Amino acid sequence: MTSTSSETRPLRSADLGTVVVLPWSGENADGVDIPHLLVCSLGNAEGGPQAASAAVERLLTDNGLPVGRELVDGIARPSLPVGLLVVAGQAVLTMPRLSVQCTVPPEWLAAVEARGFAYLIFTTRAWTEAEPGETVDPEALAEFVNADETLDAAAHIVLPARSLRA
């Protein structure tokens, strides 16, 4: 007799494909910029964009992060398993099974220093048009980020920014 295991296979980082982090900041109604981070897969996992999207969704839900437009307040939830460290011109995002970083521009650093947090959009939607290591056109970034398909398929998190203090 043959039986099927009900265990799910462990999530491997390769299942996510290439994960990219893109920073930008924009003015809010109060006149102070809000620093943003977009995290997404390029969809180049072994199983293609659909497999990468499924792996990202699993990573998010395994860490208690809802996918949709619900805002998670990481400031009010210190036990949230997602962290943001800002050091030496880099934003480092950590969570179980994932650590990614990016170089951030001076205006982003100024915004995170003024606010004390960044707004994270971690989407399950793969950005298959982007290329690893290539500069992203600001209009293409805005088009991808502002698309309902991106926002509806994302975890939205306000993350407190930590830094190393001397």
Short mmCIF file of all heavy atoms in Angstrom, two decimals, residues 8 18 24 26 50 58 68 80 91 94 112 130-131 135 137 157 164:
data_model
loop_
_atom_site.label_atom_id
_atom_site.label_comp_id
_atom_site.label_asym_id
_atom_site.label_seq_id
_atom_site.Cartn_x
_atom_site.Cartn_y
_atom_site.Cartn_z
N THR A 8 4.63 19.27 4.14
CA THR A 8 5.03 20.15 3.05
C THR A 8 6.54 20.22 3.02
O THR A 8 7.21 20.12 4.04
CB THR A 8 4.45 21.56 3.24
OG1 THR A 8 4.84 22.05 4.52
CG2 THR A 8 2.95 21.57 3.11
N THR A 18 15.48 35.15 -7.61
CA THR A 18 16.25 36.33 -7.21
C THR A 18 15.32 37.30 -6.52
O THR A 18 14.30 37.70 -7.09
CB THR A 18 16.90 37.01 -8.44
OG1 THR A 18 17.73 36.06 -9.12
CG2 THR A 18 17.72 38.22 -8.04
N TRP A 24 12.87 53.86 -2.11
CA TRP A 24 12.54 55.20 -2.59
C TRP A 24 11.84 55.93 -1.47
O TRP A 24 11.42 55.32 -0.48
CB TRP A 24 11.66 55.15 -3.86
CG TRP A 24 10.22 54.89 -3.63
CD1 TRP A 24 9.21 55.81 -3.52
CD2 TRP A 24 9.58 53.62 -3.45
NE1 TRP A 24 8.01 55.19 -3.30
CE2 TRP A 24 8.20 53.84 -3.25
CE3 TRP A 24 10.04 52.30 -3.45
CZ2 TRP A 24 7.30 52.82 -3.04
CZ3 TRP A 24 9.15 51.27 -3.24
CH2 TRP A 24 7.79 51.54 -3.04
N GLY A 26 9.10 59.38 -0.66
CA GLY A 26 8.16 60.32 -1.25
C GLY A 26 7.49 61.15 -0.18
O GLY A 26 7.32 60.71 0.95
N GLN A 50 5.33 31.65 -11.34
CA GLN A 50 4.26 31.17 -10.47
C GLN A 50 4.82 30.46 -9.24
O GLN A 50 4.32 30.63 -8.12
CB GLN A 50 3.31 30.26 -11.23
CG GLN A 50 2.48 31.03 -12.25
CD GLN A 50 1.61 30.12 -13.09
OE1 GLN A 50 1.98 28.99 -13.38
NE2 GLN A 50 0.44 30.63 -13.47
N ARG A 58 4.28 31.87 0.71
CA ARG A 58 4.49 30.95 1.82
C ARG A 58 5.43 31.56 2.86
O ARG A 58 5.19 31.45 4.06
CB ARG A 58 5.05 29.63 1.31
CG ARG A 58 5.28 28.64 2.41
CD ARG A 58 5.60 27.28 1.89
NE ARG A 58 6.07 26.46 2.98
CZ ARG A 58 6.86 25.43 2.84
NH1 ARG A 58 7.25 25.06 1.63
NH2 ARG A 58 7.25 24.74 3.88
N GLY A 68 -2.30 41.08 1.19
CA GLY A 68 -3.49 41.89 0.91
C GLY A 68 -3.18 43.32 1.29
O GLY A 68 -2.03 43.70 1.43
N LEU A 80 7.24 40.97 16.00
CA LEU A 80 7.17 40.69 14.57
C LEU A 80 8.51 40.12 14.10
O LEU A 80 9.56 40.68 14.43
CB LEU A 80 6.84 41.99 13.82
CG LEU A 80 6.43 41.86 12.37
CD1 LEU A 80 5.08 41.17 12.27
CD2 LEU A 80 6.34 43.25 11.73
N ALA A 91 20.21 49.36 3.76
CA ALA A 91 19.03 48.88 4.47
C ALA A 91 19.10 47.36 4.43
O ALA A 91 19.23 46.77 3.35
CB ALA A 91 17.75 49.37 3.79
N THR A 94 15.65 41.60 7.53
CA THR A 94 15.84 40.23 7.97
C THR A 94 14.50 39.64 8.43
O THR A 94 13.66 40.33 8.98
CB THR A 94 16.84 40.14 9.14
OG1 THR A 94 16.37 40.94 10.21
CG2 THR A 94 18.23 40.59 8.72
N VAL A 112 14.26 58.13 6.69
CA VAL A 112 14.17 57.12 7.75
C VAL A 112 14.67 57.68 9.08
O VAL A 112 14.13 57.35 10.14
CB VAL A 112 14.89 55.80 7.35
CG1 VAL A 112 16.37 55.83 7.66
CG2 VAL A 112 14.25 54.59 8.03
N ALA A 130 12.08 43.09 -14.69
CA ALA A 130 13.31 43.63 -14.11
C ALA A 130 14.46 42.65 -14.32
O ALA A 130 14.26 41.44 -14.42
CB ALA A 130 13.10 43.90 -12.63
N GLU A 131 15.66 43.19 -14.39
CA GLU A 131 16.86 42.38 -14.60
C GLU A 131 17.78 42.51 -13.39
O GLU A 131 18.00 43.63 -12.90
CB GLU A 131 17.60 42.85 -15.85
CG GLU A 131 16.85 42.63 -17.15
CD GLU A 131 16.74 41.17 -17.52
OE1 GLU A 131 17.66 40.39 -17.20
OE2 GLU A 131 15.72 40.80 -18.12
N THR A 135 19.88 48.97 -13.40
CA THR A 135 19.22 50.13 -12.83
C THR A 135 17.74 50.10 -13.22
O THR A 135 17.40 49.78 -14.35
CB THR A 135 19.87 51.43 -13.37
OG1 THR A 135 21.26 51.41 -13.02
CG2 THR A 135 19.22 52.65 -12.77
N ASP A 137 14.30 51.99 -13.93
CA ASP A 137 13.73 53.27 -14.33
C ASP A 137 12.67 53.67 -13.31
O ASP A 137 11.79 52.85 -12.97
CB ASP A 137 13.12 53.13 -15.73
CG ASP A 137 12.39 54.38 -16.16
OD1 ASP A 137 13.07 55.41 -16.36
OD2 ASP A 137 11.15 54.33 -16.30
N ILE A 157 3.90 46.60 5.62
CA ILE A 157 4.40 46.62 6.99
C ILE A 157 5.09 47.95 7.28
O ILE A 157 5.96 48.38 6.51
CB ILE A 157 5.41 45.47 7.23
CG1 ILE A 157 4.81 44.14 6.77
CG2 ILE A 157 5.84 45.41 8.68
CD1 ILE A 157 5.83 43.12 6.40
N LEU A 164 23.02 50.81 14.30
CA LEU A 164 24.08 50.50 15.26
C LEU A 164 24.49 51.80 15.93
O LEU A 164 24.74 52.80 15.26
CB LEU A 164 25.29 49.86 14.55
CG LEU A 164 25.00 48.56 13.81
CD1 LEU A 164 26.25 48.10 13.10
CD2 LEU A 164 24.51 47.50 14.77
#
